[in-house]
Amino acid sequence: MKKLIIASVFAAGGLMVTSCNSDLLDLNNPNTLVAQTAWNTQKDIENGLTGCYHTLYNCFYNSFNTFLISGQSDEFYSQSPDADLVDYIMLKYNNPDQRWNYYAWCYLYQTVFRCNQVIVYAEDVEWSSEVDKGKVVGQARALRGMSYYYLAMLWKKAPIVDWISAPSDQPAEATFEELVSFIEKDFLYAAENLPESFPEVGRMNKYFAYTFLGKLYMNSGQWEKAKAAFEVVITSGKYELAAEYHDNFRHTTNNNVESIWEIQNSDEVHSPFGGYWGIANDDAECNFTSWRERFISGSPYGFGDYAVYSWVIDMYKDEKDKDGNYDIRLRDNIVYPDLFKDFPGDIVYMTHTAWDATNWGNNAWCRKYSTDYYRDNVDGYSPINTRILRYGELLLSYAECLIEVGGASAIPEAAKYIDMIRERVNLYPLAKSVHKDCLNSLDAFEKRLRIEREKEICFEYDRFFDLRRWGLGTDTKYTNEVKARSSKHAANFTPGKEWLPIPLSEVSNNPNLTQNEGY
């Protein structure tokens, strides 16, 4: 799959970014009349699909998804020298066209544009079989569905474009509900037409579609449907928890038994810093890797743009494992002042066996997805694949569905899935733990489930959406709980900021698009 994606991109007009400001679109198009010269055969459509996968290496997936999802959550605060980044991470949003916000929107629409080419032109060529056509179109619709999932979950509303768009188009605004319906159709098509697996790793398959369907339904309040979608994946028997928790975040265990789908990163293509922006329009070589570690790690290895709130550390220390030690996920996820005391013998970046106060101060830093287990520096690349969907997160999502559908009567069954996660890290099952009382009431169990979820998937690609699902901005009690542990929310959060501001240039250039409330 790496060879498939890293191959030259099919010249399908796909470098155009639809729904972006006029400055970016005022360019000479090297692919003029491409529809008349390059979309005539099944092979052309298949090559176009390669161009769709290529967009996984634009900067939304190699770093911006961290800025927008984890960065907007209660996990991180920022003391970066980059004033724009601080403004964004600390929820101030003085400039809706701030580059993280603006480019993320544009790059998601870049994927939509390329996928639309494959989906539309696939109807005009002769196929070897309907099955082969379904596989190609199914992957394009899965990619388009994922792009719209992030557009919907980040910005609440956005134009639905299911045609081959032109820069002058001014598509109508779609509500969150309309977006959910559109995304659902894409994932259902993919689920029905994609196989269980492909010979090449990295392609989207049937279980990718069902897992994203479950997440879509869960985050739109359709719990029965979410439960059913997750059950398809669980009962397939295709996935299981990896032996070690950290196996999910190391390059030596990419594509392991827990991986439902991950972006295939490479350490073979090293490009300068500009390459992390990820598209050739930006006058830089594309970087087929992730820049997440460079932004999120402490100095001198990273830029130190994100520091971890202390409550995340404290969360892990609410119990010891069966051997009397702290939860190993604390060590695997965070570099913090007491790390070497809590986990004697640990080594960070192959050199640090004690806290580096000169560089790290008294802050805590993200360790998840760090390369510090095998090298002593941070280059402008990481060979660790980006795990977008993994079985551990799905099990916790399924447990949440169970209690949302079945209430208190579903607690025993839901606890089984939480205990599977706890067993891997040598914790007692809930019934034998210091938290056993959580099994006695729905409210207590729900709170425990949320903690167990954060322990397992902190700093991944869900927390911002989790907070909103649980009531941030709409439930006063829960919103105050978030403010109590996150000073940036206490200082800067107001109802409406559970969604991001739509880039101002998009609103200005499209009279059919309106800004979100509160901005």
Side-chain angles (χ1 to χ4, degrees):
M1 184 59 184
K2 291 184 181 181
K3 292 182 179 179
L4 172 100
I5 296 176
I6 296 174
S8 296
V9 182
F10 183 56
L15 293 179
M16 179 189 299
V17 181
T18 302
S19 189
C20 291
N21 72 24
S22 57
D23 290 338
L24 289 186
L25 293 172
D26 189 18
L27 300 170
N28 293 325
N29 182 7
N31 302 313
T32 303
L33 302 180
V34 68
Q36 288 83 353
T37 59
W39 293 102
N40 300 317
T41 68
Q42 176 177 333
K43 184 64 175 178
D44 289 345
I45 307 300
E46 292 170 344
N47 287 341
L49 180 63
T50 300
C52 297
Y53 274 108
H54 185 274
T55 64
L56 296 173
Y57 300 98
N58 67 35
C59 63
F60 179 80
Y61 293 102
N62 72 24
S63 59
F64 280 17
N65 55 357
T66 300
F67 295 11
L68 273 66
I69 303 174
S70 294
Q72 308 308 301
S73 79
D74 56 351
E75 296 172 327
F76 289 114
Y77 62 95
S78 181
Q79 298 173 321
S80 171
D82 186 327
D84 283 344
L85 189 147
V86 171
D87 179 88
Y88 198 65
I89 300 306
M90 301 304 283
L91 314 180
K92 295 179 181 179
Y93 308 123
N94 292 320
N95 176 18
D97 271 349
Q98 200 271 358
R99 59 191 182 277
W100 324 115
N101 197 56
Y102 171 75
Y103 279 111
W105 173 284
C106 288
Y107 291 156
L108 289 169
Y109 271 108
Q110 180 200 44
T111 304
V112 169
F113 178 83
R114 293 193 186 184
C115 291
N116 282 341
Q117 290 179 305
V118 170
I119 294 164
V120 171
Y121 287 127
E123 299 302 318
D124 299 331
V125 305
E126 183 177 347
W127 289 85
S128 57
S129 71
E130 285 299 309
V131 172
D132 288 341
K133 176 184 176 183
K135 288 179 181 179
V136 172
V137 175
Q139 290 174 81
R141 292 190 68 169
L143 267 163
R144 186 176 71 177
M146 180 173 68
S147 298
Y148 267 113
Y149 173 84
Y150 287 119
L151 284 163
M153 294 303 157
L154 290 166
W155 288 283
K156 186 180 180 179
K157 56 188 181 183
I160 291 176
V161 181
D162 59 358
W163 63 90
I164 301 173
S165 54
S168 59
D169 288 354
Q170 295 178 333
E173 175 179 285
T175 65
F176 180 76
E177 292 74 21
E178 289 169 335
L179 287 169
V180 168
S181 179
F182 181 78
I183 298 162
E184 178 186 33
K185 291 181 177 67
D186 270 352
F187 285 144
L188 284 174
Y189 181 94
E192 293 167 0
N193 287 275
L194 294 181
E196 293 187 341
S197 63
F198 284 95
E200 299 158 306
V201 296
R203 288 190 181 272
M204 296 169 172
N205 63 20
K206 180 184 298 291
Y207 300 114
F208 168 97
Y210 276 113
T211 303
F212 254 116
L213 269 172
K215 293 166 74 73
L216 175 72
Y217 291 141
M218 183 171 70
N219 284 307
S220 58
Q222 302 181 72
W223 293 102
E224 287 276 11
K225 285 185 173 182
K227 177 175 174 288
F230 290 137
E231 281 175 351
V232 172
V233 184
I234 292 172
T235 58
S236 73
K238 298 292 184 180
Y239 306 97
E240 60 187 81
L241 296 178
E244 299 289 342
Y245 176 72
H246 63 221
D247 286 349
N248 293 297
F249 313 105
R250 294 189 172 186
H251 75 293
T252 52
T253 44
N254 283 339
N255 302 303
N256 62 31
V257 295
E258 190 167 340
S259 172
I260 298 174
W261 187 74
E262 55 196 61
I263 297 174
Q264 307 297 303
N265 291 327
S266 173
D267 62 354
E268 299 172 1
V269 182
H270 304 168
S271 65
F273 176 77
Y276 105 91
W277 291 96
I279 31 182
N281 302 45
D282 297 323
D283 298 320
E285 177 189 357
C286 188
N287 199 339
F288 295 98
T289 184
S290 172
W291 273 75
R292 170 193 168 112
E293 183 181 9
R294 177 57 68 89
F295 281 98
I296 214 165
S297 296
S299 174
Y301 307 100
F303 300 143
D305 286 326
Y306 297 76
V308 177
Y309 274 116
S310 61
W311 73 263
V312 186
I313 301 166
D314 297 338
M315 171 189 68
Y316 283 107
K317 293 190 172 185
D318 65 354
E319 64 183 311
K320 296 286 187 71
D321 69 13
K322 295 176 183 178
D323 297 323
N325 300 316
Y326 284 122
D327 188 331
I328 201 69
R329 292 173 297 186
L330 173 57
R331 182 203 67 183
D332 292 338
N333 289 331
I334 308 173
V335 176
Y336 62 102
D338 287 337
L339 172 68
F340 303 98
K341 180 180 72 174
D342 293 341
F343 297 94
D346 194 47
I347 302 175
V348 176
Y349 287 110
M350 310 302 290
T351 57
H352 290 283
T353 58
W355 185 251
D356 180 1
T358 301
N359 285 300
W360 299 338
N362 198 39
N363 296 311
W365 309 97
C366 178
R367 194 177 193 181
K368 181 174 282 185
Y369 280 110
S370 167
T371 58
D372 76 350
Y373 59 92
Y374 82 101
R375 63 187 186 190
D376 61 5
N377 69 322
V378 175
D379 204 337
Y381 67 93
S382 171
I384 304 171
N385 286 355
T386 305
R387 274 68 163 180
I388 299 296
L389 302 175
R390 66 179 180 92
Y391 194 56
E393 189 267 328
L394 182 147
L395 293 178
L396 293 168
S397 296
Y398 184 64
E400 188 173 348
C401 291
L402 288 171
I403 62 170
E404 288 289 341
V405 172
S409 64
I411 289 176
E413 184 180 3
K416 293 178 183 178
Y417 294 97
I418 295 175
D419 287 342
M420 291 170 63
I421 299 295
R422 291 173 60 86
E423 180 182 0
R424 171 166 62 185
V425 292
N426 197 36
L427 294 176
Y428 288 102
L430 286 175
K432 296 182 179 180
S433 74
V434 296
H435 309 299
K436 60 185 177 182
D437 289 347
C438 77
L439 301 172
N440 297 331
S441 78
L442 183 59
D443 182 64
F445 185 79
E446 184 180 67
K447 290 179 179 178
R448 189 70 228 164
L449 172 56
R450 292 174 181 179
I451 293 171
E452 297 291 338
R453 182 176 178 86
E454 177 65 2
K455 285 185 175 184
E456 177 69 14
I457 69 168
C458 67
F459 317 139
E460 294 183 43
Y461 304 102
D462 286 279
R463 183 66 177 179
F464 185 38
F465 310 150
D466 289 347
L467 295 180
R468 185 172 60 239
R469 185 174 70 252
W470 297 334
L472 179 66
T474 55
D475 181 280
T476 301
K477 181 181 178 181
Y478 184 74
T479 300
N480 288 337
E481 290 176 10
V482 174
K483 289 183 176 182
R485 61 178 175 257
S486 170
S487 59
K488 73 182 185 184
H489 282 83
N492 301 317
F493 181 83
T494 54
K497 286 187 176 180
E498 65 271 22
W499 305 97
L500 295 178
I502 296 173
L504 183 61
S505 52
E506 297 298 304
V507 177
S508 299
N509 290 328
N510 184 355
N512 297 314
L513 183 62
T514 59
Q515 185 57 268
N516 281 325
E517 295 180 11
Y519 295 101

